[in-house]
Amino acid sequence: DVYKRQLLIVFVLQNTQPVDFTFLFFSFKITQVLLLFLTFALGLVVGILLPDFLKKRKDESNSSENN
């Protein structure tokens, strides 16, 4: 557990450079480690919510076909 924390600290310290982030019409500077964290968090949320959404949608289409 201590090693995981030390690796995280090293990772954060090595990725503190500011980077330009551009998406559609938005552009701003953000630290590289924050951008990586936000990308990971977004992927985690999508990975958790998307399968439930798709299953619900599939169940609704199956129930409408049965009626």
Side-chain angles (χ1 to χ4, degrees):
D1 200 38
V2 173
Y3 296 115
K4 290 178 187 177
R5 285 190 201 132
Q6 289 174 344
L7 285 174
L8 181 63
I9 290 169
V10 169
F11 178 78
V12 168
L13 291 175
Q14 288 183 345
N15 291 292
T16 57
Q17 312 85 307
V19 294
D20 290 324
F21 177 74
T22 304
F23 181 71
L24 298 176
F25 305 109
F26 304 102
S27 181
F28 51 91
K29 284 192 180 288
I30 187 171
T31 62
Q32 192 172 17
V33 72
L34 185 57
L35 182 61
L36 288 168
F37 173 75
L38 291 173
T39 304
F40 172 76
L42 180 64
L44 190 64
V45 168
V46 169
I48 290 171
L49 295 179
L50 189 62
D52 290 339
F53 173 75
L54 293 175
K55 184 178 184 295
K56 182 186 237 186
R57 190 170 169 195
K58 182 179 177 185
D59 291 344
E60 287 173 359
S61 73
N62 286 343
S63 66
S64 68
E65 288 175 2
N66 293 335
N67 288 335

